[in-house]
Structures are given as C-alpha cells and as structure tokens.
Amino acid sequence: MAMVGGAVIARYMLPAVPLVIIIGVSTLRRRVRTWPAIVASVALAFILALFPHPPYGISLEDNLAYRDYIQLHQNAENFLEARYPKARVLTAWPASDELSRPYLGYVTRPLQVVRIEDFTAEQIFAASGLRSNFDVALVFSTKYEPSHPLFERWATWQRWKTEFFGYHRDLPPAAAAQILGGQLVYEDHRPGQWVAIIEMAQIEEARANAKMPGILANSGHRGLSIRQR
C-alpha cells in the first residue's frame, strides 16, 4: 500500500504490523527463556509512547497527538457551523474535507469551502488578495510543531526537511489575521498544535447594516422622517 499510495505512512503498514509482532514474539519464545518479561517490557514501551510529546516533528498518527487534533478541529468546526452556517470558509486540507463532507463527523451539513494549500506566508498573502471570495478563515497547524524542537538551528537539517519532506512553517493565528485583514474570534491550543477562526471585515459590516433599520426606526420616534425604497 505504501508503494501504491506513494508514501510510507504508518497506517499503510497496519495490515503487516500484527504479522511482524507475532513473528517477533514467536522468535523470543523459542530462543529466550525470559521472553514473557521482554514482551511485557515492549508492550509497556508501546503504551507509554502514546502519551509524551517529543521534541521533534512526528506524524500526528504516531501517538495520541491525533486525538488532540480531532478534538481541536471538532470544537472549532462546531463553533464555525453554529456561528457562520452560511459562510464561505477559507481553509486547507484536511479541514476542507471536514467542512464539506458531513459523514466525516465534524459538521452536520456541508459548508462552502475556499481551499488553499497551507498557511505559509505565501499562501496567506495570496489569499488576502481574494478577500471577497470568503467570509471567515479556519487556520490551523498543518504539522506537529514542538515548542523547542531538536536541530532547530541546524540549517542543513532544515533544508533537507524542506526539500525532501515538504516541510513548511504555518503563520501563527495573529499574523494570519493581520494579513487577511480580519479579527480572531476563536483560538485553541494543544501541545504542538493550534486552530483558530478569523472573521473577515465584510461580516462585521453586514452585521452593522443589519442593525441600522432598528436604529433608524427608533430614531423615527424622535421626529426624524425615513424614506424607504
């Protein structure tokens, strides 16, 4: 599946993992007298590895960081659907699928999506020139980013990651909001991950215009004449 899929991803290996474990345990049982203790130690190591947040980049599927991702996106997209049910949403994959495909379990009905590749400075600046095409932006960390990563100052390692693994830096929420000309209305964080919602100026203007008829009507009681078309 890794060959067909074009990438060596952990979930592609799942069909083979039980076979490897069975072969390993069988070999230990035949060759090592204390094999139960070794197997128990390995099993404990697997369990413990689910919880820590390592000081280097990992795939979110490697431990319970994926659970953090799901909770972050469920909460943010529930907020988005409740507050902006008819909005056009600027975001990137996989949130673009989460918002447009209700069967994934993040929203109850599809929202209109304007998709960009990621939240790098280049992509955000490009999107800022198309503000009329979307009403809100759902921005998030597309990669696990530890607070103090190893090899951060090793320029060669950073170049290798960018060249061979598609590494990039997502703009933080405040910077993205400033470039897009919007206002942060939602933000949440987990270790190495974050998600935020940015409301664009046209929504604020629409709300202000919606309040105007009521304001004018109240003013009419004070002797002001109002012409309606």
Side-chain angles (χ1 to χ4, degrees):
M1 289 187 67
M3 292 177 63
V4 173
V8 182
I9 300 176
R11 63 175 177 266
Y12 291 173
M13 308 298 176
L14 285 179
V17 168
L19 300 176
V20 175
I21 292 174
I22 291 171
I23 293 171
V25 172
S26 175
T27 302
L28 286 172
R29 185 180 64 83
R30 288 184 286 107
R31 297 179 179 272
V32 181
R33 182 173 298 178
T34 58
W35 70 271
I38 296 175
V39 171
S41 300
V42 172
L44 180 61
F46 270 101
I47 293 171
L48 293 177
L50 292 174
F51 298 96
H53 301 283
Y56 49 84
I58 60 170
S59 170
L60 296 179
E61 301 168 354
D62 288 354
N63 62 14
L64 289 178
Y66 190 56
R67 177 178 179 270
D68 291 341
Y69 169 89
I70 292 174
Q71 289 183 332
L72 279 172
H73 281 238
Q74 280 182 331
N75 294 338
E77 288 161 14
N78 286 340
F79 176 90
L80 185 63
E81 183 181 18
R83 185 164 178 176
Y84 310 100
K86 297 181 179 180
R88 299 164 298 172
V89 185
L90 176 78
T91 192
W93 185 88
S96 56
D97 283 0
E98 295 163 5
L99 292 173
S100 59
R101 301 180 180 182
Y103 66 82
L104 294 176
Y106 291 88
V107 293
T108 59
R109 55 192 179 81
L111 277 69
Q112 299 180 64
V113 171
V114 178
R115 180 176 166 179
I116 57 177
E117 291 300 319
D118 49 47
F119 304 108
T120 57
E122 294 80 7
Q123 288 287 306
I124 294 296
F125 272 112
S128 68
L130 303 171
R131 295 176 191 174
S132 61
N133 292 344
F134 56 92
D135 306 304
V136 295
L138 174 66
V139 297
F140 58 93
S141 51
T142 57
K143 299 179 182 297
Y144 172 79
E145 290 285 358
S147 301
H148 304 287
L150 293 176
F151 312 122
E152 177 69 14
R153 298 183 179 180
W154 185 11
T156 302
W157 175 241
Q158 300 300 324
R159 188 176 68 253
W160 287 346
K161 287 199 302 181
T162 302
E163 183 176 353
F164 299 110
F165 300 102
Y167 177 75
H168 63 268
R169 291 185 180 274
D170 296 308
L171 286 179
Q178 184 175 6
I179 293 172
L180 292 175
Q183 177 184 1
L184 275 175
V185 294
Y186 181 96
E187 186 173 359
D188 196 6
H189 293 260
R190 295 286 194 279
Q193 302 182 67
W194 53 266
V195 66
I197 296 173
I198 302 169
E199 181 183 274
M200 303 308 296
Q202 57 260 37
I203 287 189
E204 298 177 11
E205 294 171 359
R207 287 176 178 168
N209 292 335
K211 294 177 181 178
M212 286 300 294
I215 295 174
L216 293 175
N218 292 333
S219 299
H221 292 293
R222 296 193 295 269
L224 294 178
S225 60
I226 303 171
R227 177 180 295 178
Q228 295 183 352
R229 295 182 178 179

